[in-house]
């Protein structure tokens, strides 16, 4: 049955909207916008940037016009540790461009792998369509940066600095994705022709050579060996010579990355708590670490993060950075923009409903560097280190209300030691449920 909008309906709606109250709202919103007109100062007042646990993590980084937040968040957690152990200045950063190079290179190979796996499926199948929509992008997940570090190590930013393309990745992504889609036509054509494995392998190798050259000419040739010089906070000079990127990681970071795991909160009916999940076609390094999530209740997730913060270590975490976020003041607080009250509507949904109906998913990764605990040791607000530079928030730091975290935080990365033995056993030994490529828990930060 078709239900058209009638002229009488429009007349009725116009009449209902024409009163003094609505005219006041109209003037306020048309002049100031929805967010400014609905800003709740009382919520801002109770979310002051003061925290009972507050790690000194130094100056924030800036991902600029790139989607590398997941890399920045991961490298920032490691940078915090380097700063504490080696007393390096706040200006020090690990090279985000170096990990970008290898991520792009490996994602190209991962794309070719999936093109060949789906080569006999029609172009309009959902899997092939999903694959070709975005052959690669800047975003990623914790387990993906682990795969890059385990294979390629890390280097300081001074050794492999930012380039024009790493700081503004749109041109590189467009160029690379066009090349990858072209390569997909070739690979699918070879499979259709029943070409030999050797012919397909040779074609794939030539494609990878083209990708490597494109990245090298755009981002710069990544270092194989280098000397690292620095002065500590007491101005003492230090030098480490002839380091490989793997040597550098072992010397200056030396984390056992197998001990750090992804814990998520996805309260949807299809994902029971205290169980693990993989996502089909999600990854970057063929043969690398699988993206694997342990789904738990939100209060457990918070407790794990608090335990790690209490031990002096910052926490990688992923959120939906769109709703109820005021960038100017650096506030992430439910109700900070009371737009439902402003327009006299009800748009509330549960966290599960937002996931199921496409209203929300993880879009950004940052670092938890503090938390404010009440007299019962329960969190009231959290300190967040972003990677958007010092001009947003409070010198780049945000304050996140605890209720906002409940609604819009989806993932943290913590050491296994903060989980119960039962949950560690589930993570290590249970067979993960495989989710569809387009599942919201496969979103890339």
């Amino acid at each position: 049955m078709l239900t058209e909008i009638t002229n009488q309906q429009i007349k009725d709606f116009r009449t209902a909207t024409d009163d003094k109250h609505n005219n006041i709202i109209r003037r306020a919103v048309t002049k100031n916008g929805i967010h400014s007109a609905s800003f709740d100062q009382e919520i801002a007042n109770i979310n002051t940037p003061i925290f009972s646990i507050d790690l000194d993590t130094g100056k924030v980084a800036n991902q600029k016009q790139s989607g590398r937040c997941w890399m920045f968040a991961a490298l920032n957690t490691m940078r915090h540790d380097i700063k504490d152990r080696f007393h390096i200045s706040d200006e020090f950063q690990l090279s985000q461009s170096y990990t970008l190079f290898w991520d792009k290179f490996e994602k190209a190979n991962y794309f070719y792998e999936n093109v060949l796996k789906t080569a006999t499926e029609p172009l309009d199948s959902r899997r092939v369509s999903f694959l070709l929509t975005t052959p690669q992008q800047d975003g990623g997940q914790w387990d993906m940066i682990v795969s890059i570090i385990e294979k390629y190590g890390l280097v300081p930013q001074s050794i492999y600095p930012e380039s024009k393309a790493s700081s503004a990745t749109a041109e590189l992504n467009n160029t690379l994705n066009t090349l990858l889609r072209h390569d997909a036509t070739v690979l699918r054509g070879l499979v259709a022709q029943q070409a030999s494995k050797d012919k397909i392998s040779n074609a794939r190798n030539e494609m990878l050579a083209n990708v490597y050259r494109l990245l090298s000419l755009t981002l710069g040739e990544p270092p194989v060996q280098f000397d690292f010089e620095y002065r500590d906070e007491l101005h003492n000079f230090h030098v480490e010579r002839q380091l490989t990127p793997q040597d550098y990681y072992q010397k200056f970071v030396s984390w056992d990355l197998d001990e750090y795991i992804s814990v998520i909160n996805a309260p949807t009916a299809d994902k029971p708590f205290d169980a693990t999940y993989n996502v089909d076609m999600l990854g970057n390094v063929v043969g690398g670490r699988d993206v694997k999530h342990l789904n738990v209740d939100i209060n457990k997730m918070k407790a794990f993060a608090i335990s790690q913060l209490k031990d002096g270590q910052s926490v990688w975490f992923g959120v939906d950075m769109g709703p109820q976020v005021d960038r100017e003041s650096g506030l992430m607080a439910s109700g900070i923009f009371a737009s439902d009250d402003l327009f006299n509507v009800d748009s509330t949904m549960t966290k599960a409903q937002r996931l199921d109906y496409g209203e929300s998913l993880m879009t950004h990764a940052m670092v938890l560097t503090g938390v404010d605990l009440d007299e019962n040791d329960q969190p009231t607000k959290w300190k967040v280190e972003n990677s958007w530079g010092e001009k947003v928030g409070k010198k780049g730091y945000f304050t996140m209300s605890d209720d906002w975290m409940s609604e819009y935080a989806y993932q943290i990365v913590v050491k296994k030691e903060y989980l119960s033995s039962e949950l560690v056993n589930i993570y290590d030994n249970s067979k993960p449920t495989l989710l569809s490529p387009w599942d919201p828990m496969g979103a890339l930060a």
Side-chain angles (χ1 to χ4, degrees):
M1 177 180 175
L2 298 177
T3 305
E4 297 182 15
I5 296 174
T6 67
N7 289 332
Q8 184 59 49
Q9 281 179 295
I10 294 173
K11 183 179 179 180
D12 292 342
F13 298 155
R14 185 187 294 272
T15 300
T17 309
D18 185 16
D19 59 33
K20 183 177 180 179
H21 178 72
N22 283 318
N23 287 336
I24 293 171
I25 296 173
R26 185 181 296 109
R27 289 195 296 270
V29 176
T30 54
K31 174 66 175 179
N32 301 293
I34 294 173
H35 282 179
S36 292
S38 64
F39 187 85
D40 190 334
Q41 186 61 46
E42 290 186 4
I43 289 180
N45 293 344
I46 63 175
N47 284 286
T48 55
I50 306 296
F51 309 91
S52 55
I53 298 174
D54 191 348
L55 306 186
D56 179 13
T57 52
K59 184 178 179 180
V60 302
N62 192 344
Q63 69 187 76
K64 298 185 179 178
Q65 294 173 297
S66 73
R68 296 173 291 166
C69 60
W70 61 294
M71 286 182 183
F72 273 73
L75 298 183
N76 282 339
T77 61
M78 296 174 188
R79 173 176 63 87
H80 301 157
D81 190 41
I82 293 173
K83 176 180 176 292
D84 291 341
R85 290 192 294 122
F86 294 90
H87 308 290
I88 299 178
S89 76
D90 288 347
E91 302 296 323
F92 170 79
Q93 291 187 48
L94 294 164
S95 174
Q96 305 93 353
S97 187
Y98 179 80
T99 49
L100 178 72
F101 183 104
W102 294 118
D103 180 61
K104 296 289 187 193
F105 185 59
E106 289 286 351
K107 277 177 177 171
N109 189 51
Y110 197 86
F111 174 75
Y112 297 147
E113 187 80 6
N114 282 314
V115 167
L116 291 170
K117 284 181 180 179
T118 60
T120 58
E121 297 180 24
L123 282 171
D124 61 355
S125 78
R126 190 170 184 184
R127 279 161 50 86
V128 175
S129 177
F130 175 86
L131 184 63
L132 296 178
T133 296
T134 311
Q136 63 78 44
Q137 58 173 295
D138 290 351
Q141 287 266 0
W142 169 263
D143 290 316
M144 294 163 68
I145 195 67
V146 169
S147 291
I148 294 296
I149 293 171
E150 289 181 336
K151 187 169 182 177
Y152 297 102
L154 293 174
V155 304
Q157 193 183 76
S158 58
I159 299 299
Y160 194 73
E162 289 290 288
S163 64
K164 176 69 174 179
S166 65
S167 295
T169 54
E171 290 181 357
L172 173 58
N173 283 330
N174 290 337
T175 302
L176 183 53
N177 282 336
T178 297
L179 178 62
L180 294 179
R181 291 190 184 98
H182 163 269
D183 293 346
T185 70
V186 175
L187 291 174
R188 285 177 63 91
L190 288 172
V191 171
Q193 298 162 19
Q194 298 183 333
S196 68
K197 290 183 178 179
D198 285 345
K199 188 172 183 178
I200 293 174
S201 179
N202 289 336
R204 183 170 172 174
N205 190 63
E206 290 179 11
M207 293 170 183
L208 283 171
N210 288 334
V211 171
Y212 187 95
R213 184 170 62 255
L214 188 160
L215 293 172
S216 176
L217 298 178
T218 305
L219 299 172
E221 187 70 12
V224 176
Q225 199 171 59
F226 59 92
D227 296 341
F228 178 50
E229 299 178 332
Y230 70 96
R231 288 190 181 275
D232 62 27
E233 292 173 338
L234 297 177
H235 208 61
N236 297 314
F237 175 77
H238 303 266
V239 60
E240 297 284 344
R241 300 195 184 279
Q242 299 298 297
L243 294 171
T244 67
Q246 291 85 353
D247 292 336
Y248 184 83
Y249 177 79
Q250 291 303 324
K251 171 72 176 179
F252 285 90
V253 182
S254 67
W255 288 6
D256 180 359
L257 292 172
D258 287 338
E259 290 300 306
Y260 291 82
I261 66 171
S262 166
V263 176
I264 63 171
N265 174 245
T268 50
D270 63 328
K271 298 180 186 71
F273 289 149
D274 300 343
T276 56
Y277 301 88
N278 292 142
V279 183
D280 189 21
M281 296 170 62
L282 178 63
N284 55 351
V285 177
V286 176
R289 178 162 158 170
D290 288 338
V291 174
K292 184 179 179 182
H293 302 308
L294 172 66
N295 193 25
V296 301
D297 174 80
I298 188 63
N299 291 320
K300 287 184 181 179
M301 191 170 90
K302 291 177 184 179
F304 303 153
I306 291 169
S307 294
Q308 187 157 304
L309 288 169
K310 283 183 175 181
D311 280 350
Q313 185 170 358
S314 56
V315 179
W316 188 105
F317 82 122
V319 303
D320 182 355
M321 198 56 174
Q324 300 295 313
V325 176
D326 182 41
R327 297 190 180 199
E328 182 178 353
S329 62
L331 274 178
M332 305 151 67
S334 297
I336 193 70
F337 301 120
S339 56
D340 276 11
D341 292 345
L342 185 69
F343 299 122
N344 193 27
V345 297
D346 180 6
S347 63
T348 56
M349 288 184 278
T350 65
K351 190 174 188 178
Q353 288 170 334
R354 287 193 294 271
L355 287 170
D356 284 338
Y357 283 80
E359 173 61 21
S360 184
L361 76 172
M362 188 174 73
T363 61
H364 191 50
M366 298 176 289
V367 184
L368 294 172
T369 62
V371 62
D372 195 34
L373 302 176
D374 65 16
E375 62 276 9
N376 297 313
D377 214 30
Q378 295 302 303
T380 61
K381 56 183 182 290
W382 303 73
K383 184 180 180 183
V384 176
E385 179 183 344
N386 206 343
S387 54
W388 292 345
E390 293 186 301
K391 293 184 179 180
V392 292
K394 303 295 183 182
K395 293 187 176 181
Y397 287 89
F398 280 62
T399 299
M400 175 177 64
S401 69
D402 187 63
D403 57 353
W404 193 97
M405 186 178 190
S406 296
E407 294 299 322
Y408 300 109
Y410 292 109
Q411 183 179 6
I412 64 169
V413 171
V414 290
K415 296 180 76 171
K416 290 179 181 178
E417 65 185 74
Y418 301 114
L419 280 63
S420 67
S421 58
E422 179 185 4
L423 286 177
V424 172
N425 181 60
I426 290 170
Y427 181 86
D428 286 340
N429 300 312
S430 67
K431 183 179 180 180
T433 298
L434 185 64
L435 304 175
S436 299
W438 41 87
D439 188 276
M441 288 300 106
L444 300 182

